[in-house]
Amino acid sequence: MEDQNFINFKKTRDLGAMISDTIKFLSVEWKPFLGTILKISIIPIIIAICAVIYFAMISTDFILDLSQFNEDSIFDELNFSQILVPLLIYILSYIVAYSLMTVSSLAYIKSYIANKGFVNFDEVQKTTKDKFWSYIGLFILVAIIVGFGMLFCILPGIYFAVVLSLSICLVIFKNKGALDSISDSFGFIKGHWWETFGILLVIQILIGLIGFFAGLPASIYQGADMTTILQGQDPTEMLNSFQDPIYLVLMGFSYLINFILYLVSVIVIVFVYYDIKEQKNPTSEMINEIGVY
């Protein structure tokens, strides 16, 4: 039995079709899809948002301490753990939150494809649990590879980032380990690097624009607050505006929107993965669709 609104991921698509089918998928599946992701990831997401707000507040205090530092002060008196510990919590919480969101969303799509539009939550939960640490290992390895590429020359970093963007699909859909997914990504994307780069670039620009508008309320509020403060000519008060409760709430909201927007890029990556896969080795669905038997 197949859902009438079922979207077949296993077919070739151009950029326009990927965008339209992503919108169609979200318009039909947004409630169970987002509900499943949040059910699995909501606690790490809340912790991550609270961590970034806390880090912003602590950073402001640390900068205020630095502004009072002078040549007669003892540099060792500055408490660097004050900023380093919140930074570490911020980074770790975001890694966990994004990892759970990535794995659970791909697990959802895997169940969606396998069951022709009907998703089994137990399957999603089990896949997320089984593949979480594989993704963490993959994330660390990809970060090291792309980081070295960016360090020595920007172009290799971009090349590796595009190639390895599809590695998580190999972990979930092909049940490969982190190392195998990385090595197989190079062969998988061969001959399709430029189209993948173009699609991901366009999608990131679109998501970036939406994210920019989501962050406008916080920016506008802070800008109005800083204008008022600058009229008083007190530089330290300008820094205190970053601790304004209303600004922090608006900033937290913008981060939540960015978490949700991230799911769009995950869906598009799956479309890209199957687009390349079907070009290389068409499935029976693809063969029947184009009339080749």
Side-chain angles (χ1 to χ4, degrees):
M1 188 175 186
E2 182 177 310
D3 189 343
Q4 292 182 348
N5 294 316
F6 176 69
I7 296 173
N8 182 17
F9 279 78
K10 298 180 179 181
K11 60 185 290 187
T12 58
R13 289 175 171 86
D14 57 18
L15 174 59
M18 288 183 188
I19 294 175
S20 63
D21 282 351
T22 298
I23 294 172
K24 183 179 178 182
F25 176 81
L26 288 172
S27 66
V28 174
E29 291 289 318
W30 74 269
K31 190 173 182 179
F33 179 64
L34 190 59
T36 299
I37 307 307
L38 291 179
K39 191 173 182 179
I40 294 173
S41 312
I42 187 61
I43 294 177
I45 289 173
I46 292 174
I47 292 173
I49 292 174
C50 291
V52 72
I53 291 174
Y54 179 65
F55 177 68
M57 296 172 63
I58 294 299
S59 298
T60 302
D61 290 336
F62 187 75
I63 293 171
L64 285 171
D65 290 342
L66 280 177
S67 67
Q68 296 171 3
F69 183 80
N70 56 58
E71 60 183 10
D72 296 326
S73 303
I74 301 175
F75 193 70
D76 292 339
E77 291 180 354
L78 287 172
N79 184 10
F80 285 95
S81 63
Q82 175 188 356
I83 188 76
L84 291 178
V85 172
L87 176 61
L88 183 61
I89 294 173
Y90 163 47
I91 293 172
L92 290 177
S93 63
Y94 260 71
I95 290 175
V96 171
Y98 274 110
S99 296
L100 276 175
M101 289 183 68
T102 303
V103 178
S104 60
S105 58
L106 288 172
Y108 182 98
I109 295 173
K110 181 179 182 179
S111 180
Y112 175 89
I113 294 171
N115 299 308
K116 300 296 183 180
F118 297 95
V119 178
N120 185 319
F121 177 76
D122 291 335
E123 287 180 358
V124 176
Q125 196 172 38
K126 184 179 185 304
T127 302
T128 302
K129 183 179 179 180
D130 292 344
K131 294 299 181 181
F132 175 75
W133 288 109
S134 294
Y135 178 77
I136 290 291
L138 178 67
F139 175 86
I140 293 171
L141 291 173
V142 170
I144 292 172
I145 294 170
V146 174
F148 270 104
M150 291 291 186
L151 182 63
F152 292 106
C153 186
I154 298 296
L155 292 179
I158 295 174
Y159 172 77
F160 290 136
V162 174
V163 171
L164 299 176
S165 65
L166 301 176
S167 58
I168 182 57
C169 291
L170 297 175
V171 171
I172 302 299
F173 300 120
K174 301 296 287 184
N175 202 29
K176 292 182 177 292
L179 288 173
D180 288 338
S181 296
I182 288 175
S183 61
D184 290 353
S185 292
F186 289 88
F188 182 79
I189 205 174
K190 186 177 180 181
H192 300 275
W193 189 91
W194 281 108
E195 64 183 87
T196 304
F197 170 74
I199 292 168
L200 295 181
L201 178 63
V202 171
I203 294 301
Q204 290 306 315
I205 290 174
L206 291 174
I207 291 175
L209 286 173
I210 298 172
F212 169 76
F213 285 110
L216 270 182
S219 299
I220 292 173
Y221 178 84
Q222 187 190 45
D225 196 23
M226 289 178 67
T227 300
T228 303
I229 291 170
L230 287 173
Q231 290 175 353
Q233 302 298 317
D234 186 352
T236 58
E237 286 297 318
M238 184 175 68
L239 288 173
N240 287 330
S241 69
F242 287 92
Q243 294 184 333
D244 186 298
I246 297 177
Y247 167 72
L248 292 175
V249 169
L250 292 173
M251 183 179 71
F253 174 76
S254 69
Y255 273 90
L256 177 61
I257 295 299
N258 284 325
F259 270 115
I260 295 173
L261 287 173
Y262 169 72
L263 296 175
V264 176
S265 65
V266 174
I267 296 170
V268 172
I269 284 174
V270 177
F271 280 131
V272 173
Y273 166 77
Y274 276 110
D275 172 63
I276 296 174
K277 187 174 182 296
E278 294 302 321
Q279 290 184 56
K280 287 177 173 288
N281 185 25
T283 60
S284 58
E285 293 104 321
M286 179 65 180
I287 293 173
N288 292 334
E289 185 175 311
I290 61 178
V292 179
Y293 299 90

